[in-house]
Amino acid sequence: MIIMALDHVRDLIHVDAIKQSPMDFATTTPVLFFTRWITYLCAPIFVFLAGVSVYRYRKSKNDIAATRKFLVTRGLWLIVLEFTVVNFGLYFDFGFHFFIFEVIAAIGVGFIVLSFLQKLSIRAIGIIGAVIVVGHNALPAIPFSEGSVIKMILQPLFGPGLFPITSQTMFFVGYPPIPWLGIMLLGFTAGTLFDLPDDVRVKRFLQLGVGALLLFVVLRFVNIYGDPVPWSAQKDSIYTFLSFINITKYPPSLLFCSVTLGFMFLILAFAERFSGKWMEFVLVYGRVPMFYFLIHFYLIHFTMLAILLLQGFSWSQLEFATGTFGRPANQISGLSLGPVYIIWIAMVLALYIPCQWYGRYKAEHNYWWLKYI
């Protein structure tokens, strides 16, 4: 949750965020590249642990029917949140000219699909997830004819795409649901690991983490399968290394899943050994993830608007319908990377007390809507 905010502060406030990709070796720097790369950990871990939470929920209820009902309800709620509160918080566009299907909606769709798989065995669900994660990178090799109905159906399910709704409204699939569903299904199956004794669980997490990272290194070195963008030698050894670890998130490739989930398992292996004030600090955010997610967008966005006005832009110059978050598309605006880091830290600290308050409120009350935020 903390690292995620860094990516969103960079997206909205960094001076080159609109025109420059941090993964473009022609323009990026190693610091900018890693500022983006480290945040790759967030979405797959969110989705994987969402699958784990479904397993834990089903086990606590011991009722498949109740689990299915909850998943459908929560899934639909997440989709509605994505296209209303989250999309508006991202663009501040009252006209909603640009709808974007991102991680919240992907989790929502995953919950709904997982609800219909509940009568399958846990092993079978895991196999389906593994087939999706390992195999979806082979889909582009299937020679569908251009403009075919099958390709039109599969494209938004498996890959990113921009689709017109009206002459002034666009729908962008940033998180194609099927590849992210595969990660969720693996998480659901991995929920059984949390039933193991502590020492056995930590050992298993270490094995899975090291194994996933070794798989990444081997497949990436072979450079044949696992990611649509092969690595190549660059102008120096640093940029060659960046090319080696430059994996594809949209959609999440096999190599992307291997390296991010590999690090996740290592983090899980050591997380239970953490204690003290640092653990108490981060748990404040972890206990209220949806609350944090929703309000952090608005706080960052209002901060960005204040920066633009302080930089001399008038309200009439701000562009909210063009997908640039309000920033004038053809003018230099925003801040360099150093101030972006400072603002990121300030944002996280500013959210501490609200998250702490909401965490206490949620623990002390039993209103039905609290489990949805």
Side-chain angles (χ1 to χ4, degrees):
M1 301 303 296
I2 293 172
I3 295 174
M4 174 194 69
L6 171 61
D7 193 42
H8 296 154
V9 172
R10 181 197 60 78
D11 262 338
L12 269 68
I13 297 177
H14 186 229
V15 63
D16 293 323
I18 295 177
K19 298 180 180 180
Q20 175 185 332
S21 168
M23 319 313 280
D24 183 353
F25 296 139
T27 55
T28 195
T29 64
V31 175
L32 179 59
F33 178 94
F34 278 110
T35 300
R36 172 58 174 148
W37 195 92
I38 190 65
T39 65
Y40 275 179
L41 295 175
C42 301
I45 295 178
F46 292 162
V47 175
F48 186 94
L49 293 181
V52 172
S53 71
V54 173
Y55 170 83
R56 304 296 295 178
Y57 182 88
R58 190 176 92 164
K59 184 178 179 182
S60 68
K61 294 295 183 181
N62 195 27
D63 186 335
I64 290 180
T67 301
R68 293 181 67 177
K69 180 180 178 181
F70 175 74
L71 288 176
V72 171
T73 305
R74 187 165 182 81
L76 292 173
W77 171 242
L78 291 176
I79 295 170
V80 170
L81 275 182
E82 180 78 274
F83 296 126
T84 53
V85 180
V86 177
N87 271 210
F88 183 76
L90 182 60
Y91 294 110
F92 277 14
D93 176 16
F94 284 100
F96 284 91
H97 294 88
F98 197 75
F99 289 98
I100 183 167
F101 185 103
E102 289 200 301
V103 66
I104 299 299
I107 293 175
V109 171
F111 280 163
I112 294 171
V113 175
L114 187 50
S115 73
F116 293 106
L117 300 179
Q118 287 302 297
K119 290 189 176 181
L120 298 179
S121 68
I122 295 174
R123 178 184 176 87
I125 292 174
I127 291 173
I128 295 172
V131 169
I132 293 173
V133 170
V134 174
H136 79 88
N137 282 131
L139 191 63
I142 301 176
F144 295 118
S145 59
E146 199 63 36
S148 67
V149 174
I150 295 179
K151 186 171 184 177
M152 290 175 61
I153 294 173
L154 293 180
Q155 173 60 41
L157 296 177
F158 285 89
L162 186 64
F163 306 92
I165 299 176
T166 70
S167 60
Q168 296 183 332
T169 306
M170 303 297 291
F171 181 82
F172 178 65
V173 178
Y175 280 67
I178 299 301
W180 291 99
L181 171 66
I183 297 174
M184 180 179 287
L185 299 185
L186 289 181
F188 177 81
T189 302
T192 57
L193 298 176
F194 290 82
D195 296 330
L196 298 173
D198 292 351
D199 56 336
V200 178
R201 181 174 63 251
V202 169
K203 182 179 180 180
R204 192 65 52 83
F205 285 157
L206 286 172
Q207 292 171 337
L208 289 170
V210 172
L213 293 177
L214 286 176
L215 175 66
F216 166 77
V217 172
V218 171
L219 286 180
R220 194 58 166 160
F221 183 78
V222 173
N223 216 20
I224 295 176
Y225 183 77
D227 197 279
V229 181
W231 67 278
S232 61
Q234 301 294 316
K235 60 184 178 182
D236 59 35
S237 58
I238 293 177
Y239 279 84
T240 298
F241 174 70
L242 298 186
S243 177
F244 188 84
I245 65 172
N246 184 27
I247 59 285
T248 301
K249 180 181 179 181
Y250 307 106
S253 67
L254 170 59
L255 290 177
F256 176 90
C257 295
S258 297
V259 70
T260 55
L261 297 181
F263 279 119
M264 178 203 68
F265 280 118
L266 295 183
I267 293 170
L268 288 173
F270 292 103
E272 295 180 46
R273 302 179 183 180
F274 297 157
S275 61
K277 293 184 178 180
W278 169 247
M279 178 60 77
E280 294 174 7
F281 174 78
V282 297
L283 282 176
V284 166
Y285 304 100
R287 291 190 180 104
V288 291
M290 181 55 71
F291 177 81
Y292 174 96
F293 186 90
L294 294 177
I295 65 174
H296 95 287
F297 264 126
Y298 286 82
L299 181 59
I300 295 170
H301 212 149
F302 280 122
T303 301
M304 185 209 75
L305 295 180
I307 290 171
L308 292 179
L309 296 176
L310 289 172
Q311 289 182 330
F313 292 98
S314 65
W315 189 263
S316 61
Q317 290 178 286
L318 306 186
E319 301 178 14
F320 295 100
T322 58
T324 57
F325 318 118
R327 293 172 59 171
N330 297 315
Q331 299 186 56
I332 297 175
S333 63
L335 303 174
S336 60
L337 199 56
V340 163
Y341 271 86
I342 294 173
I343 292 173
W344 163 55
I345 295 172
M347 294 288 111
V348 173
L349 293 177
L351 291 171
Y352 182 84
I353 292 178
C355 289
Q356 189 179 50
W357 166 81
Y358 186 70
R360 287 198 300 265
Y361 184 86
K362 194 170 184 178
E364 294 169 359
H365 296 81
N366 195 32
Y367 301 121
W368 65 269
W369 52 269
L370 286 173
K371 63 184 177 181
Y372 292 103
I373 298 179

